Amino acid sequence: VIPLGEAQARVLEACATNGTVVVGLDDALGRVLADPVTAIDDVPPFANTAMDGFAVHAADLAAADPEHPVRLRVVGTLAAGAAPDVAVGEGEALRIMTGAPFPDGADAVAIVETTRSDGDDVWVSAPVDRGAYIRAAGGDLVAGQEVFAAGTELSAGHLGVLASVGLRSTRVVRPPVVGVLSTGDELVEGDTPLRPGQIRDSNRRALLGLLHGDGFEAIDLGIARDDAGELEVRILDGAERCDAVLTSGGVSMGDFDLVKAVLGRIGEMTWMQVAIRPAKPFAFGTVEGTPVFGLPGNPVSSMVSYELLARPGLRRMAGFAGAELRRASVAAIVDDDSCDPRSDGRVAYLRVKATVEADGRWHVRSAGKQGSHQLLAMARANALAIVPPGEGVRPGGTVQVLVLGT
Ligand code: AMP
Ligand code: MG
């Protein structure tokens, strides 16, 4: 039995970063930038006004107050998108809208709230500081500046910045294509009537969902029977078509747990007993160079095993590195007896509901029954509470929590 960290290290060793691909910005969300991005122009490209108002000379308004407003002559109007064709002289003002280029001559904006128009003139009732409400050219980005380094994960904000420097597409690390194969003689698909001993395959749908949620490309490889020949063919096929394969079932100690045996024969395989609950058994290896994750069959175990062991490896393939490979944990207050001590020597990953309460802190409660076959609590959970062996965490105590989907 090995600690989780050691199992994760073995996975990461075998998962190499994928090659790169150029994608349109619409397909770049969540991807990892392969090349640095440099600004070709200043952003903003020209000095402009941050407010609706009047471009003025600040010195003209030094004595302005509500009792003694200052009158200026309005020499024109400038909307966003227009180019200035007049300069602003002393005693003059140019009516100017947010985003409009700032005209020559003027040195501040008197915001519309401090003004009253009067025919061709405007009365200004407050002084302004030089430079007030003027957004400088290059105030966000300067031409030639490296905006983002290679390795940056692209969020919505990043896509906005890429668009602002004129990019329609960008080079990213290609996310892995991941096949999902269920294994087991007992499994049937969908609403097929159940014969004695049969159950419905839930792992495949759950794992495909996890892959989609993590931004990977998922391929449904179907169900394989507990037959060494069939498993071999199906796993080899998956390894050829995909960058990585997830199987579920067939990796524990039963007579028909053949996935281990097959992986051992057709690939380089390590079988591990990981000191966690659920998801203790885990087979990992490479088949023709393709990483194959032999996840346990119990539905909760397969999802937890994915989260803790497969996901970091797949994220490395997608270009993530360092702390970004694993989900960060947060501290939460335990509100019930869900984290009471156990004595199996394994770290428990409990299915919990985590919420931020009125005290501004994360709190957790059990999301339901904690058996590794009881998927309902996994569905209801939004977090896994990490409870070290032995001690447990009593109500009111603090536990580290992986908030899923963050
Ligand atoms: P195994 O590791 O193959 O012995 O499976 C462990 C448990 O998980 C057994 O109760 C299986 O019936 C169940 N199981 C295996 N694969 C699936 C699946 N795809 N969907 C739902 N339950 C499964
Ligand atoms: Mg099985």
Side-chain angles (χ1 to χ4, degrees):
V1 180
I2 61 170
L4 176 64
E6 199 177 317
Q8 288 176 330
R10 288 194 202 175
V11 166
L12 291 176
E13 233 166 72
C15 291
T17 302
N18 272 352
T20 65
V21 62
V22 174
V23 294
L25 293 194
D26 285 346
D27 295 317
L29 186 66
R31 306 275 181 259
V32 174
L33 206 52
D35 298 329
V37 169
T38 301
I40 49 166
D41 296 312
D42 283 350
V43 178
F46 48 84
N48 66 93
T49 173
M51 297 289 278
D52 297 321
F54 292 84
V56 297
H57 287 257
D60 287 347
L61 301 176
D65 67 34
E67 248 85 281
H68 310 91
V70 171
R71 180 155 72 174
L72 301 172
R73 200 168 65 80
V74 178
V75 294
T77 298
L78 203 60
D85 55 0
V86 288
V88 179
E90 274 167 37
E92 294 178 343
L94 180 70
R95 185 177 281 113
I96 189 169
M97 312 303 155
T98 303
F102 197 76
D104 288 341
D107 61 13
V109 176
I111 62 175
V112 73
E113 290 83 348
T114 64
T115 68
R116 183 171 58 78
S117 287
D118 177 3
D120 288 343
D121 296 336
V122 60
W123 294 91
V124 185
S125 57
V128 292
D129 293 330
R130 279 193 73 199
Y133 305 113
I134 303 173
R135 302 191 286 213
D140 194 10
L141 308 173
V142 179
Q145 173 187 344
E146 180 176 306
V147 180
F148 301 128
T152 302
E153 178 179 6
L154 297 174
S155 69
H158 289 90
L159 300 185
V161 171
L162 295 188
S164 80
V165 300
L167 292 181
R168 291 169 185 274
S169 62
T170 188
R171 184 172 288 281
V172 296
V173 178
R174 187 176 60 75
V177 175
V178 187
V180 181
L181 180 68
S182 288
T183 75
D185 283 344
E186 72 279 33
L187 302 178
V188 298
E189 169 98 58
D191 61 357
T192 312
L194 296 176
R195 292 202 309 270
Q198 291 186 325
I199 62 167
R200 297 197 172 91
D201 175 5
S202 56
N203 291 355
R204 216 159 18 114
R205 294 275 84 77
L207 292 169
L208 289 166
L210 289 170
L211 291 167
H212 284 137
D214 283 328
F216 308 133
E217 194 179 319
I219 295 189
D220 185 350
L221 299 175
I223 301 172
R225 300 293 137 205
D226 288 321
D227 172 90
E230 179 176 347
L231 280 169
E232 181 170 329
V233 170
R234 304 285 289 265
I235 293 172
L236 281 171
D237 169 61
E240 196 179 309
R241 288 163 59 193
C242 307
D243 299 307
V245 174
L246 309 179
T247 67
S248 70
V251 294
S252 49
M253 309 289 267
D255 289 350
F256 302 98
D257 287 333
L258 298 167
V259 171
K260 276 187 297 195
V262 167
L263 280 179
R265 195 165 66 237
I266 61 175
E268 303 279 314
M269 202 263 325
T270 9
W271 180 65
M272 299 173 233
Q273 301 249 67
V274 189
I276 55 175
R277 165 190 294 275
K280 182 167 141 190
F282 174 58
F284 177 72
T286 52
V287 172
E288 319 260 310
T290 303
V292 179
F293 298 83
L295 310 180
N298 275 307
V300 178
S301 308
S302 70
M303 293 184 74
V304 170
S305 191
Y306 171 88
E307 164 68 27
L308 299 177
L309 290 160
R311 185 175 181 273
L314 298 174
R315 280 175 71 81
R316 167 157 290 174
M317 297 175 88
F320 294 94
E324 295 175 326
L325 295 172
R326 296 178 193 82
R327 214 181 286 279
S329 64
V330 299
I333 315 278
V334 178
D335 282 352
D336 61 7
D337 62 4
S338 57
C339 301
D340 275 3
R342 272 165 232 257
S343 55
D344 60 5
R346 297 193 250 155
V347 182
Y349 285 79
L350 300 170
R351 280 67 73 201
V352 294
K353 188 85 196 154
T355 49
V356 176
E357 298 295 334
D359 60 4
R361 305 186 60 175
W362 284 98
H363 286 246
V364 292
R365 307 186 71 84
S366 172
K369 294 178 196 162
Q370 297 290 323
S372 61
H373 61 297
Q374 290 167 317
L375 194 51
L376 191 57
M378 185 75 196
R380 289 181 171 156
N382 66 338
L384 297 172
I386 309 170
V387 183
E391 319 140 46
V393 183
R394 305 287 188 185
T398 301
V399 70
Q400 286 301 120
V401 172
L402 300 173
V403 182
L404 305 172
T406 60

